[in-house]
Amino acid sequence: MALEDIFRALEEQADKDVEAVLAEAKEHAQSILEDAEREADLARETQLAEAQERARQRSMQTLNTVRLEVRKRIASAKERAVADVFAQAHAELGDVRARPVYPALFRALLDEALTGVEGEFEVLVDPADADLATKTLSEMGRSARVSTDLSSAGGVVVAFDDRRILRRNTLEDRLEKFEGVAQAGVAEILFA
């Protein structure tokens, strides 16, 4: 019987060893599973965070693109509005000659153009201003040839030194100079 007891004891010992190995394997498998679940959770959180960041960046990029487009459209509309104001002013220049203040305005434009001019000179005007130019020069005590070579809504061009030097002082010239300087101010008035 002793041999049977030894085999039984060995068998019991082997069963205990197998159970211990299986228990250890189960613990190890459970540890591996828990580690894998933690890593999977971390990977999922990382991917989610990266996806959210990409979505946020795309959203900001789209928003910035839209904002830029809106700014461009607003700027374009403002530029058109300012251009329309000056186009309207250019269109209304033709009516200035019919106003009662025009002779005084013409005289001021001629006087300014003649500042510092000595010797012979020529005054170029629109044909509609020929008589006014002759009369104004006479009133100013100046004499010059009046030429109707100019097409203008009003004002003068003074030429001297055989027309090599011209002093332009027409309503169109004045409006153009003012336009360059005043566009920002007009835009501010229109859109303030």
Side-chain angles (χ1 to χ4, degrees), residues 23-94:
E24 187 179 321
K26 283 182 185 178
E27 281 181 31
H28 188 63
Q30 183 64 33
S31 174
I32 290 172
L33 183 60
E34 288 172 358
D35 287 346
E37 285 176 354
R38 276 194 300 273
E39 287 178 19
D41 288 344
L42 181 61
R44 198 172 23 255
E45 289 173 12
T46 301
Q47 287 178 347
L48 179 61
E50 288 172 356
Q52 287 173 335
E53 179 61 21
R54 283 191 304 270
R56 187 190 69 75
Q57 287 176 355
R58 280 191 211 126
S59 173
M60 290 303 294
Q61 188 176 32
T62 301
L63 182 60
N64 288 338
T65 300
V66 169
R67 284 180 178 158
L68 180 62
E69 182 61 30
V70 167
R71 285 186 185 131
K72 285 180 182 177
R73 287 183 183 181
I74 289 171
S76 178
K78 286 180 179 182
E79 287 173 9
R80 281 192 309 274
V82 170
D84 289 347
V85 166
F86 284 103
Q88 182 65 33
H90 277 282
E92 290 180 14
L93 284 181

Side-chain angles (χ1 to χ4, degrees), residues 4-192:
E4 282 181 20
D5 288 331
I6 292 175
F7 283 132
R8 202 177 295 129
L10 284 173
E11 200 174 299
E12 286 176 10
Q13 183 62 38
D15 286 342
K16 285 182 187 176
D17 288 346
V18 167
E19 284 178 26
V21 168
L22 285 175
E24 187 179 321
K26 283 182 185 178
E27 281 181 31
H28 188 63
Q30 183 64 33
S31 174
I32 290 172
L33 183 60
E34 288 172 358
D35 287 346
E37 285 176 354
R38 276 194 300 273
E39 287 178 19
D41 288 344
L42 181 61
R44 198 172 23 255
E45 289 173 12
T46 301
Q47 287 178 347
L48 179 61
E50 288 172 356
Q52 287 173 335
E53 179 61 21
R54 283 191 304 270
R56 187 190 69 75
Q57 287 176 355
R58 280 191 211 126
S59 173
M60 290 303 294
Q61 188 176 32
T62 301
L63 182 60
N64 288 338
T65 300
V66 169
R67 284 180 178 158
L68 180 62
E69 182 61 30
V70 167
R71 285 186 185 131
K72 285 180 182 177
R73 287 183 183 181
I74 289 171
S76 178
K78 286 180 179 182
E79 287 173 9
R80 281 192 309 274
V82 170
D84 289 347
V85 166
F86 284 103
Q88 182 65 33
H90 277 282
E92 290 180 14
L93 284 181
D95 298 336
V96 172
R97 193 174 275 121
R99 296 185 183 159
V101 298
Y102 183 68
L105 175 61
F106 182 87
R107 181 184 178 107
L109 291 170
L110 179 59
D111 188 46
E112 186 177 291
L114 288 174
T115 301
V117 174
E118 299 292 330
E120 291 186 25
F121 61 92
E122 181 181 4
V123 176
L124 288 73
V125 295
D126 188 271
D129 289 332
D131 292 339
L132 179 60
T134 302
K135 179 182 172 197
T136 305
L137 282 167
S138 176
E139 290 172 357
M140 295 171 72
R142 308 279 304 249
S143 65
R145 179 173 176 267
V146 175
S147 175
T148 57
D149 294 349
L150 184 65
S151 176
S152 171
V156 300
V157 172
V158 173
F160 48 96
D161 204 17
D162 293 327
R163 285 196 179 184
R164 285 184 285 184
I165 299 174
L166 300 175
R167 285 196 180 163
R168 300 186 60 82
N169 210 7
T170 66
L171 296 177
E172 292 90 349
D173 293 325
R174 298 299 285 253
L175 185 57
E176 267 184 43
K177 287 178 188 173
F178 178 73
E179 186 175 349
V181 172
Q183 279 185 348
V186 170
E188 187 176 321
I189 290 167
L190 288 174
F191 305 107

